[in-house]
Amino acid sequence: MLMKGLKLTMDYKDLANLIFPDAKEISYYEEKYPERNLKERAVVSRFAPSPTGFVHIGGLYQALVAKEMTKKTDGVFFLRVEDTDQKREVENGVTGIVNSLKDFDILPDEGMITETEEKGNYGPYRQSLRKDIYQAYAKYLLEQGKAYPCFCSAEEVEEIRKKQESAKIRPGYYGVWAKCRNLTVEEAAEKIKNGENYIIRFKSPGREDRKIKHHDIIKGNVDFPENDQDIVIIKADGLPTYHFAHAVDDHLMRTTHVIRSDEWLSSVPLHLQLFHELGFKAPKYAHISPIMKNDNGNKRKLSKRKDPEAAVSYYKEEGIPVLAVKEYLLNIANSTFENWRRANPDKSIDDFDFNLNKMSVSGALFDMVKLLDIGKTVISKMTAEEVYNCAMEWANEYDKELAEMLENKEYSLKVLGIERGNKKPRKDISKWSDVKNSIIYMYDDKFFGGDVSYDYGKISDKAEIEKITKTYINEYFDINDDKDIWFNKIKDLAEKLGYAREVKAYKAEPEKWPGHVGDISTVLRVKLTGRQNTPDMYEIMQVLGKDSVEKRLS
Ligand code: GLU
């Protein structure tokens, strides 16, 4: 005993020093990243994606919610890049994330601003640059015997799992299965000195047969068994696991609200335990339900693999207005949004009082029809100049033909100004990729392209069509007419050619005429535009101008 006692000169501190000889005291970091000086109830939250080269619409949704909460409370929203899983990383992954947030005007107050640059006093905001910090906190746990080095190889851990599986026991590294948890400090030190590979595990004080109660801002009250898993906190490459980095970072970055995907809800017992054992105050959690898709009657998560609309890049490529996407996301985030919008059709979404408590517990169904409908409304409220600028920006990247059409800015503004700025503005454009189709006939060089045969509706006889357009051009058309005179002249034309002057009269006695003024208008409209449905024909003619109208009608 005495011999052994003599040998016991090593304690947890010595072991911690052996493992992380250069790590700083945690007090250094606690002072370096002080409590934030914000007003009471200010929310500090973050978007913390991995740079995998793909930004999921669900991620953007979380970022938007976090941004709304911080904005409304004069808090701080930051972007932290979680790149500790270096296998999953792609080149320029951070740039992709930064640009997506920029595209949707969800700008972080702090954090990464380019692939390599950042702003703010709580960085580095890229986890791979925070190795020293994690190791300091791992050392702190080791010093107290709350963490330990584990020498089990991947094969041994797999072996354990198999045994548990065949014995139908809960899998994992815990309790009696946690072999290395019971090594003495000397045994562990010996192995380290012999060059054995190891990782650092958390020594969980939890018991599976005890329950914890947790209040989640979105999910409400939830009960969980305590965590008893000795999870890995520092991996063989010296970097932390998500769980450990989450605790250290959100503590040091002084996050008040962790707003994240509900796939992490079941990790809450572990996270609360980590915060507790590290001596940190735990943040509040808000676990967001995923955006779902109706797949032939089955509700499932929007999938990166199956659904193009799962990627944030999709919305940009399709030209769905940024404002429409944000408005749609707010719509699914807060069920009160829709009523608010109805009552305040002209207010900016910034005026909406977003409420985290009102987020739905289950996942909202993604509804493209609704999104495009919002797109239509959003675009209908824009000025011609705004539509022009957005369409041009989109076209420059995705549609050269449209960009060329729009080059004639003065004319294009007139085209886009048709039925705009009035009480009932045109609502035929839901996304920038619709613009070309909705205005292409207004451009002579496109209109006179091929030999298309149009559908003139009720009047299909070629000679009759010719007669209508010729008579109109020769006897009635005058580009200087005001709208009333113009319309009266079309009625005159109808009457002259034996059609009903008024639709109402025709409907009362349809046998009296071959058709009515509306059928005549349709012929003119189709001849002018190739389509039966267009915005106001008078405005169209005004924008086309005398020469183009005459050319089209003859
Ligand atoms: N990197 C984690 C993820 O993308 C972050 C989760 C969190 O927000 O804490 O799922």
Side-chain angles (χ1 to χ4, degrees):
M1 267 323 269
L2 196 65
M3 279 297 288
K4 213 171 174 204
L6 268 182
K7 253 179 89 191
L8 263 180
T9 48
M10 257 201 123
D11 58 14
Y12 290 136
K13 265 206 142 103
D14 300 318
L15 180 61
N17 267 327
L18 180 65
I19 295 175
F20 296 121
D22 303 323
K24 288 194 169 65
E25 299 262 341
I26 65 162
S27 57
Y28 170 81
Y29 298 108
E30 296 296 327
E31 274 159 38
K32 183 167 176 195
Y33 306 110
E35 288 282 353
R36 292 170 183 271
N37 195 5
L38 298 170
K39 68 181 202 198
E40 217 187 319
R41 288 175 194 279
V43 169
V44 178
S45 194
R46 76 296 190 277
F47 180 40
S50 298
T52 57
F54 183 91
V55 182
H56 195 285
I57 185 73
L60 191 79
Y61 180 47
Q62 287 162 35
L64 175 65
V65 169
K67 173 80 190 182
E68 288 293 317
M69 285 309 296
T70 57
K71 202 170 64 186
K72 119 172 187 184
T73 57
D74 294 324
V76 176
F77 170 62
F78 64 86
L79 171 62
R80 179 172 72 224
V81 169
E82 307 219 320
D83 58 346
T84 58
D85 186 355
Q86 303 202 313
K87 286 189 294 282
R88 288 176 61 209
E89 237 178 282
V90 300
E91 216 177 313
N92 295 324
V94 181
T95 306
I97 296 164
V98 167
N99 287 345
S100 291
L101 291 182
K102 213 179 267 166
D103 286 342
F104 287 89
D105 197 29
I106 303 175
L107 298 177
D109 306 306
E110 284 176 14
M112 300 308 295
I113 51 172
T114 68
E115 191 66 32
T116 51
E117 292 159 295
E118 59 175 40
K119 62 170 180 186
N121 296 328
Y122 288 79
Y125 294 89
R126 210 183 159 126
Q127 289 184 330
S128 56
L129 301 176
R130 300 173 62 79
K131 213 168 174 171
D132 294 349
I133 304 177
Y134 304 120
Q135 295 190 351
Y137 283 85
K139 182 174 184 180
Y140 173 67
L141 289 181
L142 283 163
E143 284 169 351
Q144 303 167 74
K146 292 179 177 179
Y148 61 89
C150 168
F151 302 88
C152 291
S153 63
E155 293 73 34
E156 279 171 287
V157 173
E158 177 59 16
E159 195 75 2
I160 294 173
R161 197 192 59 77
K162 277 195 189 137
K163 276 192 196 150
Q164 291 165 329
E165 199 178 8
S166 59
K168 298 211 167 22
I169 295 174
R170 203 159 48 86
Y173 203 88
Y174 63 94
V176 293
W177 301 97
K179 262 168 63 183
C180 294
R181 134 190 281 250
N182 299 318
L183 291 177
T184 62
V185 166
E186 289 77 12
E187 284 166 335
E190 187 74 19
K191 283 175 180 285
I192 291 171
K193 285 179 189 151
N194 289 340
E196 281 191 42
N197 292 329
Y198 63 95
I199 54 174
I200 309 294
R201 283 186 188 272
F202 173 53
K203 192 188 276 180
S204 170
R207 269 179 37 190
E208 215 255 345
D209 58 350
R210 284 193 304 228
K211 284 236 178 323
I212 65 153
K213 281 191 191 312
H214 164 67
H215 180 79
D216 189 271
I217 299 176
I218 296 172
K219 304 280 176 179
N221 291 329
V222 266
D223 281 356
F224 288 108
E226 275 184 12
N227 172 66
D228 66 348
Q229 300 274 345
D230 286 358
I231 58 124
V232 179
I233 56 174
I234 302 285
K235 301 179 291 181
D237 58 7
L239 284 168
T241 52
Y242 165 70
H243 307 294
F244 192 57
H246 155 51
V248 172
D249 291 348
D250 282 316
H251 165 67
L252 287 179
M253 295 177 181
R254 309 293 171 180
T255 303
T256 62
H257 289 61
V258 170
I259 298 170
R260 63 183 178 187
S261 149
D262 71 358
E263 68 185 292
W264 297 110
L265 181 63
S266 60
S267 300
V268 163
L270 163 64
H271 295 165
L272 292 178
Q273 209 174 56
L274 281 169
F275 273 87
H276 186 261
E277 294 305 307
L278 283 159
F280 303 157
K281 178 172 183 269
K284 291 198 165 76
Y285 287 97
H287 286 94
I288 298 192
S289 314
I291 299 175
M292 310 292 281
K293 168 151 184 153
N294 186 343
D295 190 355
N296 288 321
N298 290 325
K299 226 176 150 185
R300 61 162 174 79
K301 280 191 200 180
L302 264 188
S303 136
K304 170 176 170 176
R305 214 162 28 84
K306 292 190 207 148
D307 311 311
E309 71 272 29
V312 163
S313 54
Y314 170 86
Y315 302 85
K316 193 175 182 203
E317 282 155 26
E318 283 291 300
I320 300 176
V322 163
L323 195 55
V325 175
K326 286 173 82 171
E327 177 145 349
Y328 176 68
L329 292 177
L330 285 176
N331 221 289
I332 56 176
N334 266 189
S335 56
T336 48
F337 183 87
E338 196 150 12
N339 279 336
W340 174 83
R341 177 46 93 209
R342 216 169 287 135
N344 305 285
D346 296 320
K347 278 199 175 161
S348 151
I349 55 170
D350 292 337
D351 296 331
F352 176 65
D353 188 15
F354 182 80
N355 192 337
L356 201 51
N357 293 300
K358 289 213 178 103
M359 286 192 72
S360 96
V361 176
S362 59
L365 217 46
F366 186 85
D367 183 351
M368 188 56 97
V369 175
K370 170 106 193 176
L371 169 58
L372 293 180
D373 203 55
I374 293 176
K376 272 185 194 160
T377 305
V378 162
I379 295 176
S380 77
K381 287 182 186 161
M382 291 180 165
T383 63
E385 184 93 29
E386 285 167 335
V387 174
Y388 179 86
N389 291 337
C390 292
M392 189 56 144
E393 193 185 332
W394 179 83
N396 275 330
E397 198 159 343
Y398 300 105
D399 189 342
K400 286 282 153 287
E401 188 183 13
L402 177 61
E404 273 162 31
M405 280 161 59
L406 294 176
E407 239 157 54
N408 184 343
K409 182 166 178 181
E410 198 189 336
Y411 181 70
S412 298
L413 281 176
K414 283 194 212 153
V415 170
L416 294 167
I418 292 174
E419 275 192 32
R420 190 171 290 285
N422 54 6
K423 258 206 176 127
K424 253 187 115 244
R426 70 192 280 185
K427 264 191 150 189
D428 57 340
I429 305 174
S430 55
K431 50 189 193 305
W432 308 124
S433 50
D434 289 346
V435 169
K436 185 161 82 184
N437 183 48
S438 76
I439 64 171
I440 194 162
Y441 58 79
M442 294 300 291
Y443 293 78
D444 281 350
D445 53 334
K446 304 288 172 194
F447 184 76
F448 296 109
D451 54 341
V452 249
S453 58
Y454 298 127
D455 177 2
Y456 287 85
K458 188 146 138 203
I459 303 170
S460 57
D461 181 64
K462 259 193 162 167
E464 183 70 3
I465 290 167
E466 188 122 323
K467 192 164 102 197
I468 294 167
T469 53
K470 282 253 159 70
T471 314
Y472 179 70
I473 280 294
N474 294 336
E475 299 175 30
Y476 295 95
F477 172 61
D478 181 346
I479 194 77
N480 297 314
D481 286 343
D482 71 18
K483 192 162 179 183
D484 287 338
I485 296 178
W486 169 85
F487 192 43
N488 264 320
K489 283 185 171 176
I490 294 183
K491 288 181 175 177
D492 294 345
L493 169 71
E495 198 168 9
K496 172 169 181 146
L497 297 178
Y499 291 78
R501 189 182 174 87
E502 307 288 343
V503 180
K504 230 187 189 165
Y506 174 82
K507 287 209 170 131
E509 298 170 281
E511 61 293 338
K512 269 178 86 172
W513 298 279
H516 55 73
V517 62
D519 303 315
I520 296 291
S521 291
T522 299
V523 167
L524 295 176
R525 188 188 302 274
V526 173
K527 197 84 185 172
L528 278 171
T529 67
R531 301 177 186 190
Q532 290 188 26
N533 287 313
T534 68
D536 184 71
M537 183 156 64
Y538 176 74
E539 283 193 55
I540 287 178
M541 287 164 87
Q542 289 298 309
V543 172
L544 286 174
K546 182 172 180 289
D547 292 350
S548 178
V549 170
E550 282 173 354
K551 203 169 150 201
R552 289 170 187 233
L553 290 182
S554 25

